[in-house]
Amino acid sequence: MTAAGKAADKSLQSDDFAPGAPLVAEARTSGATDSACPPAAWLERLNDAQRDAVLFGAGDEAVAGPLLVIAGAGSGKTNTLAHRVAHLVASGADPASILLLTFSRRAADEMGRRVVRLVAQLAKPQKALAGAALEWSGTFHGVGARLLREFAPSIGLDPTFTIHDREDSGDLMNLARHELGLSAKSKRFPMKGTCLAIYSAKVNTQAPLDDVLKSTFPWCTEWQDDLKRLFRGYVEAKQAQQVLDYDDLLLYWAQMMAEPALAAELGARFRHVLVDEYQDTNRLQAAILLAMKPDGRGLTVVGDDAQSIYAFRGATVRNILDFPAQFDPPAHRITLARNYRSTRTILEAANGVIALAAERFTKDLWTERASDRKPRLVAVKDDAGQADYVVGEVLARREDGVKLKQQAVLFRAAHHSARLEIELTRRNIPFVKFGGLKFLEAAHVKDVLAVARWAQNPRDRVSGFRALQLLAGVGPKTAGRVLDNVAAAPPGCALLTEQPVPDAVRSDWAAFAALVEAAGPNASPWPACFELTCRWYEGQIERLYDDAAVRSGDVEQLARIAATYPSLERFLTELTLDPPNATSDEAGVPLLDEDYLILSTIHSAKGQEWSSVTLLNVVDGCLPSDLATGSSAEIEEERRLLYVAMTRAKDRLDLVVPQRFHVSQQPGGGDRHVYANRTRFIPNRLLPHFEQLSWPPPTVAPRPTEESRRIALDLAAKMRAMWD
């Protein structure tokens, strides 16, 4: 992601795990007064359905049964959920007994801020609430990490366990793969990234390995037995080193909840559990919730089955579709159908698309925003014509007063925008394309974190292997010997200074060993220990990298970020689960412009909105993708993708339909091509919802004159005369 796009992504400045600021105290400092508005006036801001969702069961002596809120696109979902949490607190619920689960820390932070403001407005704050705090608000993975550390002694974990990011997990998977001899197969064995993807899919979907391989990795089916051996070895390596990967945070939590005593304890602790974006949960997350709240009392889930588009991450739409029937009596259901975003004509077209879904909660979005401008189905000749059309419309809308930032071009796959990006660059139109490298993928950042992780957990072999080789003269063999000795030593008896390292390294080794001991658990005070690590690494960076000055700036920034956290353990956990999105030497060219166009995949656009939206390649093979038509479930998710894209638009919506696509792998300048059909998700019966046009507009040929007709006849006679 370029520099201009970073501000639109997740914030790193707040703590997902840390207790929130006192609700009432913060509300007072934010400008609230003792003359807050009464509850009736506060509720008048909500529409009827929102009000029903907020008030359901709140204030009753007995905790109410399960509630499912079907929240359509642009229906004020976040506002409704924040009001419900605030109303529970104002009605006497202990904020410490409320668990709020979201799918990004930024969403949790925003929800917490809204709750703080709303509690202050409900009524004059009471003394009983003066010290209250919304302590348990965060992502599933963040809350899971916190609970696992709390219950570690009861579930066989060391409280100092470290959490591997995806790259570290891949390295450990590769190590297990090599040790089992699977990297030496005579036939192609899956690489570490594929192995990790298969493992993650198996864990998150809870499907048999055979089904995962057949549905998603069919070329790997012959390796099923070897993959089972590999995954067992990978798990054993993690357990030996006391490390967890990203998927373990849910898996261990779910296994914890399988123990009735622990499930009952957490169910009693959290009298109210509220979940945002429930349509994006996987089977593990649903199992956790049902184990905590088997009767559903105090459980509220909010989501929209029509926006379930993350099956590739293990999410399943079945969770939300089957939620009511999980309980007896079934969960109460409230639908938020009023849309505050889009015009009526856009909603009518989107409703028509999703109405053809095979299974859904019946819901037709409506709005008071009237408009005569229908969404447009624009037929263009090919990819080049599509780029020309989009650029022309973007500039025309800009001249009409619609800023580039208020316009978005969406697409199913990242490569669909390649031709458009070339044209935008040629026409000097700045743009941001959502996607990019993660901060933690920068080698120098991973170096510093490896030292910190190994100091915290000497059994973390992946981090130790990387950290040790930062020293000049220490290679893989020396690092391996040291790690073997540390693993074999009793806890606290590793004696790093006495490890077998080459004589030439001995003086540097003593300083490094002292650093690791100072940065270990319960050693130097925080954040001084991390600052020592960063200063030591800055002494190595010129030897390790050419662009040392740029990378040193990142290390300094990392130290400043670390100082905002209460402990090294909290900092490492946070940075792994929710890293910033770019690093200074990998950011794009700065946008020296006051405005820029948004390019985004549909998946990245979920939750966003723009005044004007253009959707590329609305043809079969692109939407639905030709890689996602293997089953009816995949096709239905592709339909939901189109629905999500359409409901991002507030005022204008263009769906571009190229007529032909040039075949790849042909000589330069080749003209082999295939013709495409409009997406199956917009059949003829839905065409009245759209304005149809061709671009460029067809030109009208001049009528033939009498002279041209005579010439044509004469030419015809000549053609015949050739054969006399």
Side-chain angles (χ1 to χ4, degrees):
M1 185 183 294
T2 60
K6 287 188 284 185
D9 213 49
K10 297 178 184 176
S11 168
L12 186 70
Q13 301 306 315
S14 55
D15 189 352
D16 194 352
F17 303 160
L23 289 175
V24 175
E26 182 174 338
R28 283 174 172 163
T29 61
S30 65
T33 65
D34 286 349
S35 57
C37 59
W42 173 74
L43 292 172
E44 286 177 1
R45 306 172 189 169
L46 307 174
N47 63 42
D48 291 344
Q50 292 173 332
R51 193 177 304 115
D52 290 344
V54 168
L55 296 179
F56 177 77
D60 295 346
E61 289 188 12
V63 177
L67 172 64
L68 169 62
V69 180
I70 302 297
S75 63
K77 166 181 65 67
T78 302
N79 189 46
T80 302
L81 189 56
H83 276 72
R84 178 160 176 77
V85 175
H87 196 67
L88 288 171
V89 173
S91 299
D94 180 1
S97 72
I98 296 176
L99 174 59
L100 175 61
L101 295 167
T102 66
F103 272 79
S104 74
R105 191 177 56 197
R106 183 182 179 187
D109 295 339
E110 174 59 24
M111 197 80 70
R113 286 191 290 269
R114 291 195 189 196
V115 170
V116 166
R117 293 193 296 267
L118 291 170
V119 168
Q121 296 172 13
L122 279 173
K124 182 175 180 179
Q126 301 175 6
K127 293 182 179 180
L129 292 176
L134 197 60
E135 298 181 23
W136 291 89
S137 173
T139 64
F140 270 94
H141 292 86
V143 170
R146 182 178 175 185
L147 289 172
L148 291 179
R149 290 204 190 277
E150 179 181 333
F151 285 88
S154 303
I155 58 177
L157 280 176
D158 187 325
T160 63
F161 68 80
T162 52
I163 303 172
H164 276 182
D165 61 21
R166 291 295 187 189
E167 186 171 340
D168 286 340
S169 299
D171 289 343
L172 186 57
M173 180 73 75
N174 203 36
L175 184 62
R177 178 175 174 269
H178 180 71
E179 290 178 347
L180 290 171
L182 298 174
S183 57
K185 290 283 187 181
S186 58
K187 295 177 64 177
R188 178 181 61 146
F189 189 79
M191 299 297 288
K192 65 177 183 180
T194 303
C195 293
L196 187 63
I198 296 171
Y199 173 85
S200 183
K202 167 72 175 73
V203 169
N204 286 294
T205 63
Q206 293 292 285
L209 179 59
D210 182 52
D211 292 348
V212 171
L213 293 175
K214 287 179 179 178
S215 63
T216 313
F217 305 91
W219 70 272
C220 299
T221 52
E222 64 176 300
W223 303 110
Q224 181 172 336
D225 292 338
D226 287 325
L227 285 169
K228 284 183 178 179
R229 283 199 304 126
L230 172 61
F231 296 156
R232 182 177 180 85
Y234 174 62
V235 170
E236 290 173 348
K238 287 189 295 181
Q239 292 176 349
Q241 299 174 36
Q242 285 295 311
V243 298
L244 302 183
D245 62 26
Y246 195 68
D247 299 317
D248 286 334
L249 299 177
L250 295 182
L251 183 60
Y252 274 67
W253 188 6
Q255 294 293 338
M256 241 176 70
M257 293 298 93
E259 295 297 321
L262 292 177
E265 180 178 345
L266 283 183
R269 176 193 293 190
F270 300 119
R271 288 174 59 82
H272 300 279
V273 178
L274 302 98
V275 186
D276 193 13
E277 304 286 8
Y278 189 66
Q279 78 279 352
D280 294 332
T281 54
N282 60 34
R283 296 188 187 280
L284 278 176
Q285 290 161 325
I288 289 168
L289 295 174
L290 293 176
M292 289 176 61
K293 297 292 180 184
D295 60 0
R297 292 199 172 277
L299 179 59
T300 299
V301 301
V302 182
D304 183 8
D305 56 295
Q307 298 186 70
S308 178
I309 59 173
Y310 293 114
F312 66 94
R313 295 180 184 169
T316 172
V317 71
R318 297 304 332 165
N319 283 350
I320 192 168
L321 290 175
D322 297 340
F323 182 80
Q326 298 283 343
F327 309 99
D328 186 18
H332 186 69
R333 193 172 84 206
I334 296 174
T335 300
L336 308 184
R338 181 176 178 180
N339 178 284
Y340 293 91
R341 175 188 300 157
S342 305
T343 62
R344 187 175 302 159
T345 49
I346 291 175
L347 289 184
E348 287 173 349
N351 286 337
V353 167
I354 202 63
L356 300 179
E359 184 180 6
R360 69 182 184 115
F361 287 118
T362 302
K363 170 187 79 275
D364 286 329
L365 298 180
W366 63 276
T367 183
E368 293 182 350
R369 296 193 61 217
S371 174
D372 294 329
R373 182 188 287 119
K374 292 183 178 181
R376 298 195 296 186
L377 274 173
V378 185
V380 296
K381 181 180 178 181
D382 53 20
D383 198 28
Q386 178 172 245
D388 289 340
Y389 169 77
V390 172
V391 170
E393 287 298 304
V394 164
L395 292 176
R397 286 193 287 262
R398 181 175 178 271
E399 291 303 312
D400 289 341
V402 182
K403 293 182 178 181
L404 294 179
K405 289 181 183 178
Q406 297 172 353
Q407 304 183 52
V409 180
L410 307 183
F411 30 86
R412 172 63 177 85
H415 67 272
H416 288 176
S417 65
R419 185 62 180 258
L420 174 62
E421 292 175 47
I422 294 172
E423 186 64 18
L424 289 170
T425 302
R426 189 182 71 81
R427 303 277 286 271
N428 196 30
I429 300 175
F431 64 90
V432 170
K433 184 174 181 179
F434 280 82
L437 293 173
K438 296 291 186 183
F439 186 77
L440 293 185
E441 292 174 359
H444 52 292
V445 174
K446 289 188 67 66
D447 289 344
V448 176
L449 296 180
V451 176
R453 287 192 177 110
W454 192 55
Q456 280 290 101
N457 178 11
R459 286 171 290 185
D460 183 348
R461 196 173 183 89
V462 170
S463 296
F465 197 69
R466 185 183 190 113
L468 289 169
Q469 294 182 76
L470 296 176
L471 281 169
V474 175
K477 289 185 178 179
T478 300
R481 284 198 301 268
V482 171
L483 291 173
D484 289 341
N485 293 340
V486 170
C493 301
L495 300 176
L496 282 182
T497 55
E498 301 179 10
Q499 291 300 317
V501 297
D503 292 339
V505 185
R506 182 59 60 184
S507 60
D508 291 338
W509 176 260
F512 177 73
L515 170 73
V516 171
E517 291 175 356
N522 305 317
S524 298
W526 172 262
C529 59
F530 190 73
E531 292 171 356
L532 287 173
T533 302
C534 292
R535 283 201 296 271
W536 174 85
Y537 182 75
E538 287 175 357
Q540 316 294 321
I541 200 168
E542 289 190 6
R543 176 177 54 83
L544 296 169
Y545 301 105
D546 294 333
D547 51 348
V550 172
R551 295 177 188 262
S552 292
D554 280 343
V555 174
E556 293 174 4
Q557 178 65 16
L558 193 65
R560 287 193 290 269
I561 293 173
T564 66
Y565 290 85
S567 67
L568 177 60
E569 169 267 309
R570 189 76 57 78
F571 168 64
L572 292 176
T573 299
E574 285 284 333
L575 204 62
T576 301
L577 296 184
D578 193 11
N581 260 68
T583 181
S584 56
D585 67 320
E586 292 175 333
V589 177
L591 294 173
L592 303 180
D593 200 294
E594 81 285 359
D595 205 5
Y596 48 84
L597 180 68
I598 304 297
L599 306 185
S600 175
T601 63
I602 302 173
H603 286 100
S604 297
K606 187 170 176 290
Q608 306 295 319
E609 61 181 36
W610 295 275
S611 176
S612 297
V613 169
T614 301
L615 182 59
L616 303 183
N617 293 343
V618 188
V619 298
D620 257 49
C622 295
L623 193 63
S625 167
D626 54 6
L627 298 177
T629 55
S631 67
S632 59
E634 290 176 324
I635 293 173
E636 288 303 310
E637 177 151 326
E638 295 290 300
R639 187 193 311 276
R640 295 192 292 269
L641 267 173
L642 175 58
Y643 175 79
V644 167
M646 294 175 68
T647 52
R648 301 309 96 196
K650 294 195 287 187
D651 303 305
R652 304 182 186 184
L653 174 62
D654 284 356
L655 309 179
V656 188
V657 185
Q659 300 298 295
R660 66 179 188 174
F661 291 83
H662 289 282
V663 177
S664 60
Q665 303 300 319
Q666 61 176 313
D671 195 37
R672 290 172 51 216
H673 58 271
V674 295
Y675 283 94
N677 293 321
R678 183 181 70 242
T679 177
R680 70 188 73 179
F681 302 138
I682 304 179
N684 290 340
R685 71 183 111 163
L686 296 184
L687 292 181
H689 293 303
F690 298 88
E691 175 189 351
Q692 298 182 72
L693 66 151
S694 297
W695 191 92
T699 56
V700 179
R703 291 178 175 273
T705 63
E706 289 298 326
E707 180 64 17
S708 66
R709 288 194 183 94
R710 184 187 64 79
I711 293 173
L713 290 173
D714 289 347
L715 288 177
K718 288 183 178 182
M719 296 302 104
R720 293 192 301 272
M722 290 177 61
W723 305 102
D724 290 343

